[in-house]
Amino acid sequence: MPINATIPYPEPPLVGGAFALRPFREDDFGAALALGQDASTARWVQELPADNGPGVVEFFEECRREDSLLHLVIADRVRDEYLGETMLVLTEHRVGEVGCCVVQAARGSGIATEALRLVTDWSFETLGLGRVHVFVASENVPALRLARSAGFRREGTLRSYWEIDGSRLDAVVLSRLPEDPV
């Protein structure tokens, strides 16, 4: 993919057993805000980039056009309701960084694992990335389990990598390469 090209939306859209990945819409704002305020995930989920649905849509679209971020909603295949989000950040050297989070009702169903695998596989096949990695706080056990179940291999720990709520936290680095078995 050429530098400074728009990241394409997956075409056809990426679809899992119970969900489809689609762009963030204005009406997703309330559910996304609630996910960010969920006590079990609030520490790990970044704040929304705007204080309203249109602003969030505009931000994510601008990032996609600038070739820096593809943000997708994990939506129920039947009801099209917001179940969570996954994202792919493009960095230098044809490397991507992924993240994923789902609402409480969708946890434990395998949706997050499947979504993370789909986005990662798509990034290898369509964008030609040579590596995709994820950084997870060492104490975020559910996210570490998610990354491993999506085929990511632990590489090491970046000591005192993040500052969250005034505390320094270690980040575990996990990665997948195109040739890695899942």
Side-chain angles (χ1 to χ4, degrees), residues 19-174:
F19 67 89
L21 299 179
R22 61 163 171 77
F24 191 95
R25 296 189 312 229
E26 292 178 15
D27 63 339
D28 293 320
F29 182 79
L33 187 62
L35 178 61
Q37 295 171 346
D38 178 335
S40 63
T41 57
R43 189 166 191 204
W44 316 119
V45 176
Q46 290 188 344
E47 289 184 28
L48 290 170
D51 60 3
N52 57 55
V56 174
V57 169
E58 181 180 333
F59 177 83
F60 289 145
E61 185 59 19
E62 183 178 317
C63 291
R64 186 184 73 82
R65 285 192 312 266
E66 292 175 351
D67 193 35
S68 62
L69 167 72
L70 178 64
H71 182 278
L72 298 169
V73 164
I74 303 167
D76 181 277
R77 274 182 77 177
V78 176
R79 296 180 307 277
D80 195 36
E81 70 184 27
Y82 176 101
L83 298 175
E85 353 189 318
T86 188
M87 73 199 140
L88 170 69
V89 177
L90 298 183
T91 63
E92 59 187 353
H93 308 295
R94 292 185 19 239
V95 172
E97 179 181 342
V98 291
C100 186
C101 192
V102 295
V103 298
Q104 182 72 37
R107 293 182 195 145
S109 66
I111 287 173
T113 300
E114 191 176 4
L116 203 55
R117 281 183 187 156
L118 282 171
V119 167
T120 302
D121 292 345
W122 176 84
S123 74
F124 292 142
E125 295 162 9
T126 302
L127 303 180
L129 298 187
R131 169 190 169 89
V132 174
H133 57 232
V134 61
F135 297 99
V136 180
S138 58
E139 59 193 64
N140 189 348
V141 175
L144 288 169
R145 233 184 349 258
L146 166 61
R148 285 192 299 268
S149 67
F152 286 77
R153 295 182 187 177
R154 184 184 179 121
E155 293 184 335
T157 302
L158 301 173
R159 298 179 306 140
S160 196
Y161 183 72
W162 283 306
E163 183 173 354
I164 299 177
D165 300 329
S167 298
R168 299 298 305 182
L169 299 176
D170 294 347
V172 177
V173 181
L174 301 100

